[in-house]
Amino acid sequence: MRPAHLNRLSVQQCADRYLDLVRAKTVTGALSPATAEVYARDVTTFADLAGPGLVLDDLTGEDVDAVLLAFARKPDGRRTHPESGTQSASSQSRFRRSVSAFFKHATLAGWVQLNPMTAATVTARERGGLRPERRALTREQAQGLVGAARDLTAAEPDAGRRDQRTQVRDALIVLLLSTLGPRVSELVRANVEDFYTNDGVRYWRIFGKGGRTRDVPLPRDVTDVLDTYLTTARPAAADKALLLSWRGRRLARGDVQAVIDRVQRHVDPAQRRTVTPHGLRHTTATHLLADAVDMDAVRRVLGHSDLSTLGRYRDELPGELEVAMRAHPLLRRPATGGER
């Protein structure tokens, strides 16, 4: 039911009250801290773009369209590369979902008479939501990045300042992201104690969304780099975090992109392409599925609760249809000789 009375509150007042609710849900466990952070950032941005002093109920569908378009044209502050100057399609879709959730609550709370999202006409495609680049790296690009990470573990440690001696840690970050595809929040939350050995196989117990956990076995190469990092390269610190800065503090989410960019500088320019941590999650899913790894196994590696979610992470690779047709199962020659 909708409230009987309308509260004509400003956009900023409504945003503040909504974010108080979001924070309360985080305390009770109804929302993860990462999701709450996204809502807070998007709703704060919406208030700034819409006009904090305006009455929320006075906003129309056209006003919401204008905000969505303004957000689409905003530079992506997480990246410094010219080709990534505006918001990606996924960021635009996420922002729209956050705004929609905000107005859904505003309708129930009596802050607006009618939800203006129902009259908004701007879609992701009309907002220029086509991705400028494929999110998943091609096999050659991914192998170039993984190869650069491996080379870092074999290189002599930097003889310069302590804040320059991070090669093994950087290599571990790139290898974990490229081969297991964890969410960046899962990666920076990881603790040393989350890694254990069972029957000679090293596992990572990943604490994911919604309080769910999954135990994922590490490839041998990744295990070797992990052991090297823990025994020789991890700073001595009381913090139980796996990934530490040279000062001995847990890495933040924003630090991970800088690590990837630093490793990318060692990749051959012919194989190099800008990629985000989430792009490496797409890369993991895409190449595991392209190699015919069981879909349910891939789902469990990525921590999805539903197989249908994998469709959003499976990106198209150049030439894959041609390869599939060349290896068509119905055109394989039958076995000859005495085979039965």
Side-chain angles (χ1 to χ4, degrees), residues 102-321:
F102 169 61
F103 273 113
K104 182 177 180 180
H105 177 76
T107 304
L108 295 174
W111 301 339
V112 295
Q113 288 181 318
L114 295 175
N115 187 343
M117 292 299 293
T118 61
T121 60
V122 174
T123 64
R125 188 171 297 276
E126 289 169 342
R127 291 202 308 272
L130 296 177
R131 291 175 298 184
E133 296 182 286
R134 188 183 300 106
R135 279 174 288 181
L137 296 179
T138 65
R139 187 177 295 272
E140 293 74 20
Q141 292 165 345
Q143 288 174 338
L145 182 60
V146 168
R150 282 172 167 159
D151 291 343
L152 284 178
T153 63
E156 289 293 326
D158 290 337
R161 305 187 315 244
R162 284 183 299 166
D163 58 339
Q164 296 174 333
R165 299 198 293 267
T166 58
Q167 298 102 312
V168 178
R169 184 207 65 190
D170 292 356
L172 178 62
I173 289 172
V174 167
L175 289 174
L176 288 173
L177 288 171
S178 301
T179 59
L180 275 65
R183 301 174 179 90
V184 67
S185 58
E186 296 170 343
L187 179 68
V188 298
R189 281 202 305 264
N191 295 324
V192 174
E193 63 193 20
D194 300 337
F195 293 82
Y196 67 94
T197 302
N198 185 26
D199 288 337
V201 179
R202 201 66 171 272
Y203 288 83
W204 176 12
R205 176 159 292 169
I206 302 176
F207 293 85
K209 295 175 67 174
R212 295 187 294 269
T213 63
R214 61 190 188 276
D215 291 8
V216 181
L218 303 184
R220 170 54 61 185
D221 287 2
V222 180
T223 296
D224 292 343
V225 175
L226 172 65
D227 290 340
T228 300
Y229 172 69
L230 292 177
T231 56
T232 66
R234 183 178 179 271
D239 198 312
K240 61 184 179 180
L242 173 70
L243 302 173
L244 298 173
S245 70
W246 68 274
R247 294 180 183 275
R249 298 172 183 168
R250 183 186 293 268
L251 287 192
R253 293 168 55 131
D255 298 326
V256 176
Q257 183 65 59
V259 168
I260 297 172
D261 293 342
R262 189 158 55 242
V263 177
Q264 283 277 29
R265 291 198 285 269
H266 298 273
V267 179
D268 187 306
Q271 295 178 293
R272 187 187 306 157
R273 205 208 76 201
T274 301
V275 67
T276 64
H278 197 68
L280 291 178
R281 185 167 163 81
H282 275 257
T283 299
T284 300
T286 296
H287 290 287
L288 287 177
L289 292 171
D291 275 6
V293 175
D294 179 71
M295 288 184 65
D296 191 59
V298 179
R299 175 192 67 78
R300 289 158 59 196
V301 167
L302 295 181
H304 290 152
S305 58
D306 195 322
L307 273 176
S308 62
T309 310
L310 278 182
R312 297 204 302 267
Y313 287 79
R314 171 65 165 97
D315 290 350
E316 182 180 332
L317 293 172
E320 62 181 338
L321 293 183

Side-chain angles (χ1 to χ4, degrees), residues 50 71 73 109 155 271 326:
F71 176 79
R73 300 187 187 105
Q271 295 178 293
R326 284 199 299 269

Side-chain angles (χ1 to χ4, degrees), residues 6-164:
L6 178 72
N7 290 321
R8 287 182 58 79
L9 302 174
S10 70
V11 172
Q12 189 63 61
Q13 288 174 314
C14 293
D16 291 342
R17 294 188 182 191
Y18 179 71
L19 294 182
D20 285 342
L21 174 66
V22 167
R23 283 187 283 270
K25 287 186 175 181
T26 304
V27 173
T28 61
L31 278 179
S32 70
T35 301
E37 180 185 341
V38 169
Y39 280 151
R41 183 172 64 245
D42 286 344
V43 172
T44 299
T45 300
F46 173 81
D48 291 340
L49 295 174
L54 297 178
V55 174
L56 188 68
D57 187 52
D58 289 343
L59 297 184
T60 65
E62 290 183 355
D63 295 324
V64 173
D65 283 346
V67 171
L68 296 177
L69 288 167
F71 176 79
R73 300 187 187 105
K74 277 175 60 68
D76 190 336
R78 299 171 301 172
R79 308 178 194 173
T80 58
H81 303 283
E83 68 272 16
S84 303
T86 56
Q87 300 294 325
S88 67
S90 58
S91 294
Q92 294 176 46
S93 297
R94 184 213 67 233
F95 180 73
R96 196 180 202 283
R97 289 194 299 271
S98 297
V99 173
S100 181
F102 169 61
F103 273 113
K104 182 177 180 180
H105 177 76
T107 304
L108 295 174
W111 301 339
V112 295
Q113 288 181 318
L114 295 175
N115 187 343
M117 292 299 293
T118 61
T121 60
V122 174
T123 64
R125 188 171 297 276
E126 289 169 342
R127 291 202 308 272
L130 296 177
R131 291 175 298 184
E133 296 182 286
R134 188 183 300 106
R135 279 174 288 181
L137 296 179
T138 65
R139 187 177 295 272
E140 293 74 20
Q141 292 165 345
Q143 288 174 338
L145 182 60
V146 168
R150 282 172 167 159
D151 291 343
L152 284 178
T153 63
E156 289 293 326
D158 290 337
R161 305 187 315 244
R162 284 183 299 166
D163 58 339
Q164 296 174 333

